[in-house]
Amino acid sequence: MRRGAVVLAVVLVLLHLTIRVGFGVGAGAPDFMLLALLLIARELPLAAATATGLALGLLEDALAVLSFGTTGLTFALIGAVGAATRDVFLGDSPWFGFMYVFLGKIARDVLHWLLVGPGLREPFVRSVVLEGGIAATYVAVVGAVLFTVTGLRWDAPGARR
Amino acid sequence: MAAYSSPEPASGGLGRQIWGTILVLLAAGAIFSMPPVVQERLASVLRNSVLAPFIGLNTAIIDTRTRAVETDRLRAVADSLTLELQGRTTLDEENRRLRDLLVLRDRLPTRWIAAEASRPGFQASAGIFYLDVGTADGIRERAPVVTREGLAGVVRGQAQAGGSQAEGMDWSHPEFAASAMSEDGLISGIVESRRGAFREQDELVLLGTEYNTLLDSGTVIVTSGLGGVFPRGIPIGEIAGILVESSAGGDARTLDEQRGFERNYTVTPYVDPAEMTLVLVERADSREQVLGTGYRPGPSSAMDSADDLSAAWPPDERMRAFERAELVPVWRDSLRMLRDSIARLVGDPPDTVPPSGGSP
């Protein structure tokens, strides 16, 4: 586990809470929480990544009026899958980083849409395909820029076996 | 820190990871399926612990925005109030003049009646005004015209054939003159109008006072009652200084130097002709008749015979109209203070001067 990745993940979580919760900026800010989870998931063991996802998801759920636990379960699944990708993808390509975050965001929106109650769902095409696609591209670009700037790579040393 | 690598399946570590993941996912599912009351309790714990700083920051930002909006709203209210008050300035001014007139009316004998003064508005009629009362109301020629501030002018004659209007001249008219004296009655003379380079520079001069006595600046000059035109005790103005005039040779000499026996002064009048809109004018009393009309006054009161009117203008009320007006709008000062408070709240410098003290 790289210390720089852990520090960056903590910073991303704090950034997410500061911008989205503290400053009240909504979708204008990228989903730094998911970015942090996707980053740390490739650094932690499978169970730990899942637990981290659950913890981060519950933080988001605590701010939602309804559907508590939805994001927790969603993030736990993403954390588990993210950790599993370490043994499947080497992650030494920039395109992997982009697609990893992009698909992670899409998966987050789809899972959330499925888990949330029918009464709270918004139209799938609008919320997942259109808005979710834009948001996924947004956070993937931000992630690519962030990792280029910080010098971190998606291929954790432990994954290169 | 050692890098993580996935455990080998044969080591048994993978099995622990999988079971651990399953347990975490089951826990997530259990939380997801909890009753809403329990979920809300758990969410409340998180909000009051980990998320408290961020929620506090959000609350502070919202409060700041709300205050900004409230400040804007208050400023809008203050601006609209100011606008409304500015629109009421004319009404307020007229109200003040009417109030002054009522006060003076109660202090003067009953033969003094209220009138509205209007000006012709062309240059040749400078110093002339018309009253909406005339000989039909008992107004005689050379009747004094006064305001709350003091002597304003005198009636010159009839303005309309029907006797419903009278023509008067204020103190700035070249023909205006009044016998005057210092308030203590020791020094007397004649007050005349003296034209300035501009109408705003018109002034009164007190002529013919004794050379051996000297009046200080600020000495109040009132009518002396001599000559039978103006009753005694009507304030005219205050001594501004000794009158200095240039001779033909260009050297500055006082008039008394030119004449050798008199000391003359410039007088700052109490009444501003431009503000003279509501006045009191003296009606003919029982000893007089209005010539050319059938007017016959009724029996006069005991005060009608009094010739000294100084009691109508107490010493502490001798001031110009604008000085009195500054004492009236205390409520306007309050509004000004409100505007200043709002300006300070948003960091702008106050755009008004501090309110002056005093009361009407």
Side-chain angles (χ1 to χ4, degrees):
Chain A
M1 186 165 59
R2 296 172 298 174
R3 185 173 297 173
V6 175
V7 171
L8 181 60
V10 172
V11 169
L12 286 173
V13 170
L14 293 177
L15 196 64
H16 180 85
L17 293 174
T18 302
I19 293 177
R20 287 214 173 186
V21 181
F23 295 160
V25 178
D31 194 346
F32 289 121
M33 186 83 91
L34 179 71
L35 198 56
L37 174 63
L38 292 173
L39 170 64
I40 206 69
R42 288 182 64 85
E43 304 288 334
L44 293 174
L46 185 63
T50 310
T52 302
L54 174 61
L56 294 180
L58 289 179
L59 284 181
E60 282 222 355
D61 280 332
L63 300 165
V65 180
L66 300 170
S67 70
F68 183 86
T70 308
T71 312
L73 185 53
T74 301
F75 271 29
L77 286 168
I78 290 176
V81 173
T85 61
R86 185 177 48 235
D87 293 328
V88 180
F89 299 102
L90 193 60
D92 56 351
S93 161
W95 282 108
F96 167 78
F98 182 87
M99 291 308 295
Y100 175 62
V101 176
F102 181 85
L103 292 175
K105 174 64 176 167
I106 292 291
R108 181 232 196 275
D109 289 343
V110 171
L111 284 171
H112 193 273
W113 189 86
L114 289 172
L115 291 173
V116 81
L120 300 174
R121 278 179 193 158
E122 294 181 4
F124 182 83
V125 173
R126 184 169 68 85
S127 67
V128 176
V129 177
L130 294 178
E131 294 178 1
I134 293 172
T137 307
Y138 184 23
V139 71
V141 169
V142 170
V145 171
L146 196 64
F147 281 82
T148 303
V149 170
T150 58
L152 281 170
R153 297 172 61 186
W154 292 101
D155 50 339
R160 297 182 206 146
R161 288 184 293 116
Chain B
M1 188 179 291
Y4 170 77
S5 60
S6 298
E8 293 295 333
S11 66
L14 181 61
R16 284 198 301 273
Q17 289 296 324
I18 291 173
W19 280 112
T21 302
I22 291 172
L23 281 176
V24 172
L25 289 175
L26 286 175
I31 293 171
F32 176 68
S33 307
M34 278 179 179
V37 178
V38 181
Q39 287 182 340
E40 176 53 34
R41 198 171 298 161
L42 186 58
S44 177
V45 169
L46 289 172
R47 282 197 297 266
N48 293 321
S49 54
V50 182
L51 297 173
F54 306 102
I55 293 174
L57 174 64
N58 183 254
T59 305
I61 289 174
I62 289 175
D63 286 348
T64 304
R65 285 177 186 160
T66 305
R67 274 199 293 273
V69 170
E70 186 68 10
T71 302
D72 288 344
R73 195 186 66 81
L74 281 173
R75 174 173 274 182
V77 169
D79 287 346
S80 62
L81 279 174
T82 304
L83 198 64
E84 187 177 333
L85 287 174
Q86 285 173 348
R88 288 171 49 188
T89 301
T90 306
L91 185 63
D92 183 52
E93 182 67 15
E94 188 176 357
N95 207 7
R96 185 183 62 78
R97 293 177 196 278
L98 283 169
R99 197 164 50 239
D100 286 346
L101 208 65
L102 283 173
V103 170
L104 186 61
R105 177 67 187 81
D106 290 342
R107 293 173 180 172
L108 288 174
T110 55
R111 65 174 179 270
W112 290 80
I113 61 172
E116 192 170 344
S118 57
R119 295 182 177 277
F122 45 90
Q123 193 172 4
S125 64
I128 296 294
F129 60 86
Y130 294 126
L131 299 175
D132 62 351
V133 292
T135 52
D137 303 292
I139 302 303
R140 60 177 169 80
E141 192 177 341
R142 299 168 68 194
V145 178
V146 298
T147 68
R148 177 83 184 274
E149 287 71 42
L151 183 63
V154 64
V155 173
R156 287 182 58 172
Q158 188 173 299
Q160 278 189 348
S164 60
Q165 276 195 337
E167 180 186 306
M169 61 178 175
D170 60 43
W171 61 258
S172 66
H173 195 277
E175 295 176 11
F176 178 85
S179 58
M181 63 179 185
S182 59
E183 193 175 19
D184 54 13
L186 296 178
I187 309 296
S188 61
I190 298 292
V191 163
E192 290 181 1
S193 174
R194 184 63 54 95
R195 278 286 169 91
F198 306 98
R199 290 309 309 274
E200 290 75 15
Q201 290 184 336
D202 289 352
E203 60 182 1
L204 286 172
V205 293
L206 176 62
L207 306 175
T209 66
E210 297 167 14
Y211 182 74
N212 292 330
T213 56
L214 186 63
L215 292 173
D216 292 332
S217 295
T219 302
V220 175
I221 302 300
V222 299
T223 54
S224 65
L226 299 175
V229 177
F230 300 106
R232 180 188 174 98
I234 303 174
I236 298 174
E238 294 175 356
I239 294 292
I242 295 177
L243 178 65
V244 176
E245 289 189 341
S246 297
S247 66
D251 58 324
R253 297 187 303 162
T254 60
L255 275 178
D256 59 87
E257 286 175 322
Q258 295 172 11
R259 296 173 184 170
F261 304 104
E262 300 172 355
R263 197 181 291 278
N264 307 305
Y265 303 89
T266 56
V267 176
T268 304
Y270 284 126
V271 176
D272 180 0
E275 295 189 357
M276 200 182 77
T277 54
L278 295 170
V279 298
L280 288 177
V281 57
E282 188 182 28
R283 217 166 40 176
D285 64 13
S286 58
R287 292 168 297 187
E288 299 175 88
Q289 289 184 1
V290 181
L291 296 177
T293 71
Y295 176 79
R296 293 293 181 271
S300 57
S301 66
M303 284 191 71
D304 288 345
S305 61
D307 291 327
D308 191 345
L309 302 179
S310 57
W313 288 273
D316 60 336
E317 292 184 15
R318 284 174 191 160
M319 61 186 80
R320 290 163 194 84
F322 73 90
E323 292 170 336
R324 180 173 288 107
E326 285 178 352
L327 299 178
V328 174
V330 178
W331 50 269
R332 196 175 293 169
D333 288 340
S334 301
L335 182 64
R336 199 176 296 152
M337 289 172 68
L338 173 65
R339 288 175 58 84
D340 288 351
S341 300
I342 294 172
R344 274 191 289 270
L345 196 65
V346 298
D348 295 340
D351 58 350
T352 55
V353 294
S356 57
S359 57

